[in-house]
Amino acid sequence: SDYWWSIVHQDNFLLDLFDARYVLAARQLPGSRTFEGVTYHPHDRLMSGTAANPSGMETFRTPPTWVTALTLVSAVEGLGEVPSGATVAEVTLVGVDGSRQVVPVRGGLDVAEYRAPEPGWPMADYVGPRVIWAGPAIVPWPATSSDPVRLYGSTMPLAQPYETVAVEVRMRSSAGRLHLNGLGLHSA
């Protein structure tokens, strides 16, 4: 477990050293949850990376699908003082003809800080994206495993349906590390 999390936490550096192209995992992990039809696991990420590292960009291929909305289960660790509404990441839908549609992921509206300032769920006066999971961090460094963390769920409708064959997720902000735990494409 310590070795696996050292691989995941170091931007896949150790996997690169082993020239690993694929990592196989169970299709349904015990403890999986669902948010608006998107299955995710609080401690298993689809990607985790910074804008300054290749791990801050990932491409997911899909059969041609008419997409009407995107759902993200994510958080940004080390978001800092990024103003609310600022674009911290982008989700790009790649069309069947190679065209691209960019959907911004905004700090404080679609995603927020991973490390929670207080344990558990937010207080009644909380303003921000929907907290869909709160609990202890599983990665023991740089903090202890009892530090509270949060994941946020956000569904972003598209102005018009878009026929998509791939989805690119990219961290844009120089502050923080994007953790993407779930990604869903909705169609009518």
Side-chain angles (χ1 to χ4, degrees), residues 1-7 138 140-141:
S1 177
D2 290 342
Y3 178 73
W4 170 253
W5 283 108
S6 70
I7 291 172
I138 193 166
W141 59 89

Side-chain angles (χ1 to χ4, degrees), residues 49-52 75-83 86-89 107 111-113 171-179:
T50 65
V76 177
E77 185 173 0
L79 190 57
E81 299 297 321
V82 172
T87 299
V88 296
V111 68
E113 177 59 45
M171 180 63 172
R172 284 289 183 202
S173 175
S174 59
R177 168 188 298 275
L178 176 66
H179 299 307

Side-chain angles (χ1 to χ4, degrees), residues 108-174:
L109 301 174
D110 303 315
V111 68
E113 177 59 45
Y114 178 65
R115 300 238 177 242
E118 69 276 337
W121 302 98
M123 308 304 276
D125 61 348
Y126 169 78
V127 176
R130 183 172 169 195
V131 176
I132 61 169
W133 184 83
I138 193 166
V139 181
W141 59 89
T144 65
S145 61
S146 63
D147 285 349
V149 295
R150 294 183 183 154
L151 292 177
Y152 304 88
S154 180
T155 297
M156 297 166 277
L158 303 180
Q160 296 179 356
Y162 191 78
E163 191 173 16
T164 303
V165 295
V167 180
E168 296 174 355
V169 181
R170 179 187 305 263
M171 180 63 172
R172 284 289 183 202
S173 175
S174 59

